[in-house]
Amino acid sequence: MTTKKSSTPPASSILHVIAENLQPSVDGGRFPVKAVPGETIHVTADMFRDGHEKFAADLLYRRKDEKKWRRMPMRFVDNDQWAGEFTVNVIGFWEFTVAPVIGAGLKPTPITGEIRSVRVDPKLTEHSAWYEMFARSQGTVSGKSATFADMEKRLPEIKALGFDVLYLPPIHPIGTTKRKGKNNSLEAQPGEPGSPYAIGGKKGGHKSVHPELGTLKDCQKFFDRCHKLGFTVALDYALNCSPDHPYVKQHPDWFYREKDGTIKCAENPPKRYEDIYPLNFFCKDRNGLWRELKSIVDFWIKMGVTIFRVDNPHTKPFVFWEWLISEVKAKRPDVAFLSEAFTRPKIMKRLAKIGFDMSYTYFTWRETAQELREYLEELTQQEPSLYMKPIFFPTTPDILPWHLQNAPREMFMIRFALASTLVGSYGIYNSYELCENIPFPDKEEFLNSEKYEYKVWDWNRAGNIKDFIQTINRIRQDHPALHQLKNLTFHDCDNPKILAYSKAAGDDVLLFVVNLDPSHVQSGSVTLELESLGLDGVPNFGVHDLLSEERYAWSGSRNYVELNPPKQVLHILKIDRF
């Protein structure tokens, strides 16, 4: 009978110190935490050892391209938890871990624990004001498309309103086969331009521009003018192909087939798009297709586009987006991707995790104070805040929500104020400033949408809210409290028609009190969370309304407010300590 040789017991070493639950973490470290330059990453870990020997702990962090770790002593909190923080200052990938400091001299030890990653994205992913310009509708001649030159003429006015991202829906050639007509009718009449999302025709595909707008040279001139005025240019990345797209003839194997052999049209239930062919991302020539789709992004980056608003990403494979965004950001970490996906919450979150810098949200359909509060607390304080940067649009070319249909201008002001102050990034679709509100019957859509026809807008028509937009955008620019996402605090009000919240950054503290009713006076008492306002122990303080310039003397946590539309739909109150 043989005796099995026992293994050698481990030597007394750092293995006796256990590090667990390293935070922040997304899905156990599968995906990076998202941040922006200047943001502080708060790190915690549970660390303990057997016996009673003392040890300390270090936080280690570095940019991913650095060889040497930077060390920062951590502090003991309680219950075996240690905490520390570091600040990221440049875009790109960073990483962090923790390590014990042990022994008689409390010497640093080698890294043996898990490493977490942080992706630092451009600041505009957290703070930006978008203006969605429908290219064909910036002209002055009825029934005719605008040109890049016409679009250029509008830029100074849009800049003066306070916007810093100029976002363009597709500007490419449009197919004629099964072209959609006015109000999405199945047959276009002579002279109707079709949907710009049915991309591709005789004049080219995704790397071409519609000849009615001009040439690529004209497009470059327009982009250069945008940059000179201080705009970042965003462009739709819509992986749709009309039946006339060059890809259909050049690469018919890139598309799905029906049982009868014909190419299958696109569907996004309950909608069906007869004028669009969806791509088969797992066709036999998958590598060739994927490389070509990436080359579209590379082409427009060279033209000066640094944001891509991705149309319906949830209808394409997640693995494709993870690959594409990773490939692009490896060389251009300054390029950002916006996920346009009004879909199930977990799908929206997964898209954010796999790489999208920014995400459309359900803000459009959150109306009551309770709904808004619950949703914003999820986005800014709970787990999604680690990886999801929301952008709020009150309307889109596809969506005119019920509460804005035939609504008074005060409702447009209310929704704009909420979108632009609850989070750091928001956008409006052109004509929102005109309070365009005529719906398609029984649908959350615009009647006579410019998605299917040319439009000529009177940008100064009566009832516009341009001054209001300009004022709030100026406040956004002037106040650091509005440049962040996670610094949001809600305050109770005894009137459910009033929403109260604050944002603070150092000494810059702003309190917002919004009347959610556009047609009636609403009043009530707001109970303030004094500590979040820096007023804990301060019996009396002043508030300065940045909209009306009125000043009020307040005291304690409970104060009365009254908002009377149309004169005033909200307070933006700067806290002044006496």
Side-chain angles (χ1 to χ4, degrees), residues 61-70 89-95:
Y61 66 98
R62 66 183 179 184
R63 294 199 311 271
K64 203 165 186 178
D65 58 355
E66 293 178 325
K67 293 183 178 180
K68 189 175 181 180
W69 289 91
R70 312 177 203 186
N89 52 20
V90 295
I91 60 175
F93 279 93
W94 292 63
E95 52 190 10

Side-chain angles (χ1 to χ4, degrees), residues 484-505:
Q484 300 178 31
L485 173 65
K486 302 174 186 177
N487 60 340
L488 178 67
T489 301
F490 285 96
H491 306 265
D492 293 333
C493 182
D494 57 9
N495 183 342
K497 294 289 187 179
I498 292 176
L499 182 69
Y501 53 96
S502 63
K503 306 202 82 172

Side-chain angles (χ1 to χ4, degrees), residues 358-376:
M358 307 174 71
S359 304
Y360 275 46
T361 68
Y362 299 135
F363 163 75
T364 312
W365 297 279
R366 297 296 185 266
E367 299 179 50
T368 69
Q370 187 64 27
E371 289 172 340
L372 287 162
R373 180 167 182 166
E374 289 176 356
Y375 189 48
L376 267 296

Side-chain angles (χ1 to χ4, degrees), residues 97 139 147 149 166 190 223 300 419 435 520 545 565 571:
T97 186
T147 64
L166 198 285
F223 287 169
W300 289 106
C435 304
H520 302 93
D545 193 320
H571 292 300

